[in-house]
């Protein structure tokens, strides 16, 4: 039979098995048929598609029905595609000459995988489930680990229990039968130092692929039987030094999905890599690669998938990780250039206003707060818009720093805006800042001064007077804080304002009758127009995407921007997430703050924690109880907020008032509950992670965190910051029975340190960057290769990005065209996934 007829014979057998319901109904079993077919297959068995199809069906009788169906259908699909290919070439009718035949379209990087020879519809669909649709996307579908089978030993050097690789010659091969299985193949491998028995169970057909005298490489675990070393079902392939894929090398293990099998996937990926790598164009100019000591991109992509050795793998990782950091740094630096490439408001520092503000505070600023303010004031006095991040640990006093900065903008005749992530936090800022800032006198222009002079009521018409009274009511001013004074006029703008109130506040903002607007996302909605927005402060930046930040900046004519975060961020994360911002750090806590006593306990000790809470409540204090889930899960034995609240209310504290807040509530519902807790309507608040940021309840002195292993260290530290805000000693109790090294390191670190920056570094090491910002809250693209803990690599990429943009700030040079396109694609993918 010729090749075409042999494929028809194999395909008909597989089709019959499919029609019979995948019950191994072929006479003698599918494995037996394949073994017989291989005996007469000649060169057909060497076709890559046929090899892949047969490899997928190895041990068919032992598979579950669903797996039989998936594997057989994929093999049948590929054989049909091969048959069509062979059918075109078969001389059944007069055909065109070889020269006359239409050549297949040349492969391109943006070609779908479905057009690649050997990749059938089923396999292409499986790759799609992994978000891999094109040839180029497969190039960046990196292995998640490598099996090191590269260290080859002689048979005499093998040791029991080790995973080793041996190259030898087949000295003997035969099949065997058993009562419980379909038998298999025994072979003897030999080299110059001895012999090694190898058994392949359930794979009788291998007797037709493995030939006496053939040299093969095997990689697997060495075992012993009756005093002799042996291997069972190792990975193997014919030994060709320059073409090893599955054994005898660093073997890549790629992410797989349903309908995809390791050996077949690796064979396919190797085929595509070999075809596609020559098509890769390097987007980095030679001078950049030479400065940064980088291997060419094509070599890096080839070596990351099938590395020759550990050194080549390290070089490939360095190049691809460098590229990801470079794309991020070019993106954030260009964003900073765009923002600061236009004139901003050059403010003058009003020392008198600043000193008056300080005199109204019941405490003195720390050295760290003063250093941060010096950096902010220097920025405000420059003719370019400020873009600064203020990092401060929980309770370090960032809001006071922001207030001092806002005062300077207002003293220069501009408006300020402060944006918070939730209404309750916006209201918290409003109440606190209005109380202090309304007492600080700020200069006004001549027109304003006329309105606010002693005889302002005589100078104003009745309609305007009525409007001023209405505005005073909206701003929550008492007669003592009268708008006729020169204190700062503060307004609250949130989504829950009634239509009439919202309209009046918007009019006041637009006409410049409000100095400082505090709110939520409502500050950047359509219809909000500022009179002269000079400074924007964003609290808890990681709660907002980059897009919202840009929209808020666009509300004014290039206002200054100050971002605050209470999540201490290691330098690598700060450069990646906030690379477009200059950074100030507040790393001192105000004097007089008592340390929070932190204790890790097991669930068996919960009764002690409950006793402590009762004691604190009896003394007039309040407590938080944090749960990892909203409702009970059958799959996870975790504490849920709903069940915990019910249990505490009915079984543990029936005489106490216990509230509940979780993420499935609307924002209005959550704010109502947390406000009630702040106002002491509840003694205990059971909550999920929604209380992680910002709520200020000075009377709360205990926080009990259940299922602590489910939270990252940075998040646990944020929870702890919900207490310790008043004059009383506070406590943090974390509960976890999970006994593994990472959990223990995390919880011990929490017990030993209250320094958020120390804990942030520990958390980055233990858990990676996801714990700081969740999956997509940062507005920064995912990293496939770079490790955010690699400070040296990030610094090298930052330096190179600055150097590239110094000579070509818009990447307009011809040799930067590919790089510009790559950076834009990288960032657009981040936006699409946000």
């Amino acid at each position: 039979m010729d090749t075409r007829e042999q494929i028809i014979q194999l395909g008909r057998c597989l089709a019959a098995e499919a029609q019979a319901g995948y019950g191994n109904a072929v006479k003698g079993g599918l494995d037996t048929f394949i073994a017989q077919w291989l005996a007469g297959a000649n060169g057909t068995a060497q076709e890559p598609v046929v090899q892949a199809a047969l490899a997928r069906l190895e041990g068919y009788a032992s598979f579950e029905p669903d797996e039989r169906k998936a594997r057989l259908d994929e093999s049948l699909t590929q054989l049909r595609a091969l048959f069509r290919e062979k059918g075109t070439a078969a001389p059944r009718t007069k055909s065109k000459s070889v020269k006359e035949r239409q050549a297949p379209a040349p492969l391109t990087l943006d070609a779908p995988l479905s057009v690649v020879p050997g990749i059938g519809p089923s396999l292409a669909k499986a790759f799609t489930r992994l978000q891999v649709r094109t040839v180029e996307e497969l190039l960046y579908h990196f292995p998640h680990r490598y099996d090191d089978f590269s260290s080859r030993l002689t048979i005499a050097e093998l040791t029991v229990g080790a995973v080793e690789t041996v190259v030898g010659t087949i000295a003997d091969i035969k099949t065997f039968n058993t009562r419980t299985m379909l038998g298999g193949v025994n072979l003897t491998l030999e080299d110059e130092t001895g012999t090694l028995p190898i058994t392949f169970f359930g794979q009788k057909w291998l007797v037709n692929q493995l030939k006496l005298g053939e040299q093969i490489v095997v990689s697997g675990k060495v075992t012993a039987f009756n005093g002799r070393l042996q291997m069972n079902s190792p990975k193997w392939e014919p030994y060709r030094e320059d073409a090893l894929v599955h054994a005898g090398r660093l073997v890549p293990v790629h992410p797989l999905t349903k309908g995809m099998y390791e050996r077949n996937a690796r064979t396919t990926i190797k085929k595509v890599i070999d075809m596609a790598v020559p098509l890769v164009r390097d987007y980095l100019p030679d001078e950049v690669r030479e400065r940064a000591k980088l291997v060419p991109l094509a070599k890096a992509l080839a070596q990351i998938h099938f590395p020759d050795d550990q050194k080549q793998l390290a070089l490939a990782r360095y190049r691809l990780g460098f590229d990801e950091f470079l794309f991020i740094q070019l993106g954030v630096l260009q964003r900073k250039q765009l923002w600061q490439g236009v004139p901003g408001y050059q403010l003058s520092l009003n020392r008198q206003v600043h000193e008056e503000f300080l005199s109204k505070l019941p405490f003195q600023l720390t050295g760290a707060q003063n250093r941060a303010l010096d950096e902010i004031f220097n920025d405000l006095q420059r003719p370019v818009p400020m873009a600064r991040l203020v990092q401060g640990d929980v309770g370090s006093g960032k809001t006071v720093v922001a207030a001092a900065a806002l005062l300077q903008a207002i003293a220069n005749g501009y408006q300020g805006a402060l944006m918070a992530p939730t209404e309750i936090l916006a209201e918290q800022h409003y109440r606190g800042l209005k109380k202090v800032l309304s007492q600080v006198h700020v200069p006004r222009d001549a027109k304003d001064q006329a309105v606010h002079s002693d005889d302002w009521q005589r100078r104003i018409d009745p309609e305007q007077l009525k409007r001023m009274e209405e505005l005073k009511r909206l701003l929550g001013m008492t007669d003592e804080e009268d708008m006729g004074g020169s204190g700062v006029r503060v307004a609250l703008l949130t989504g829950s304002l009634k239509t009439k109130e919202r309209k009046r506040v918007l009019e006041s903002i637009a006409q410049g009758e409000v100095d400082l607007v505090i709110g939520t996302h409502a500050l950047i909605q359509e219809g909000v127009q500022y009179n002269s927005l000079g400074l924007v402060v964003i609290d808890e930046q990681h709660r907002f995407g980059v897009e919202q930040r840009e929209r808020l900046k666009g509300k004014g004519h290039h206002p200054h921007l100050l971002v605050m975060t209470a999540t201490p961020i290691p330098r690598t994360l700060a450069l990646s997430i906030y690379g477009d911002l200059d950074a100030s750090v507040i790393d001192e806590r105000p004097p007089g703050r008592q340390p929070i006593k932190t204790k890790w306990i097991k669930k068996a000790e919960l009764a002690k924690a409950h006793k402590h809470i009762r004691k604190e409540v009896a003394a007039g204090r309040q407590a938080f109880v944090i749960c990892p889930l909203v409702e009970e899960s059958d799959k996870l034995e975790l504490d849920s907020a709903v069940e915990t609240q019910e249990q505490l209310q009915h079984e543990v504290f029936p005489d106490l008032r216990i509230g509940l807040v979780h993420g499935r509530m609307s924002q209005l519902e959550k704010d109502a509950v947390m406000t009630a807790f702040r106002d002491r309507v509840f003694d205990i608040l059971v909550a999920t992670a929604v209380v992680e940021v910002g709520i200020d309840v000075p009377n709360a002195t205990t926080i009990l965190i259940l299922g602590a292993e489910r939270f990252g260290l940075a998040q646990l530290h944020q929870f702890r910051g919900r207490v310790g805000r008043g004059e009383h000693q506070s406590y943090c109790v974390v509960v976890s029975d999970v006994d593994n090294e990472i959990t223990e390191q995390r919880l011990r670190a929490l017990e030993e340190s209250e320094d958020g920056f120390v804990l942030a570094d520990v958390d980055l090491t233990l858990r990676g960057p996801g714990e700081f910002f969740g999956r997509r809250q940062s507005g920064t693209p995912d990293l496939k290769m770079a490790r955010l803990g690699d400070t040296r690599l990030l610094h090298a990429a930052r330096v190179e990005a600055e150097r590239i943009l110094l000579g070509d700030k818009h990447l307009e040079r011809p040799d930067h065209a590919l790089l510009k396109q790559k950076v834009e694609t990288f960032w657009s993918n981040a936006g699409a996934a946000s």
Side-chain angles (χ1 to χ4, degrees), residues 20-136:
Y22 309 94
N24 202 23
V26 178
K27 186 177 180 180
L30 188 61
D31 291 312
T32 301
F33 171 82
I34 289 174
Q36 293 171 348
W37 183 86
L38 280 167
N42 301 323
T44 305
Q46 301 306 312
E47 287 277 354
V49 174
V50 174
Q51 285 186 338
L54 297 181
R56 194 180 302 110
L57 296 171
E58 274 183 38
Y60 181 82
S62 63
F63 299 149
E64 294 294 326
D66 286 347
E67 187 170 359
R68 284 183 185 177
K69 182 179 185 305
R71 291 186 178 226
L72 191 139
D73 287 353
E74 178 69 26
S75 295
L76 197 53
T77 298
Q78 290 199 335
L79 288 173
R80 283 170 175 157
L82 180 63
F83 170 73
R84 287 193 294 270
E85 182 184 324
K86 296 297 179 184
T88 302
R92 297 181 63 186
T93 58
K94 185 177 180 181
S95 61
K96 296 179 181 180
S97 67
V98 174
K99 289 183 179 179
E100 290 176 315
R101 290 184 202 139
Q102 184 177 3
L107 190 69
T108 61
L109 292 181
D110 58 358
L113 286 177
S114 56
V115 307
V116 177
I119 297 184
S122 297
L123 187 56
K125 187 175 180 180
F127 273 117
T128 298
R129 284 195 286 271
L130 294 169
Q131 307 302 311
V132 177
R133 298 174 181 82
T134 67
V135 171
E136 184 170 25

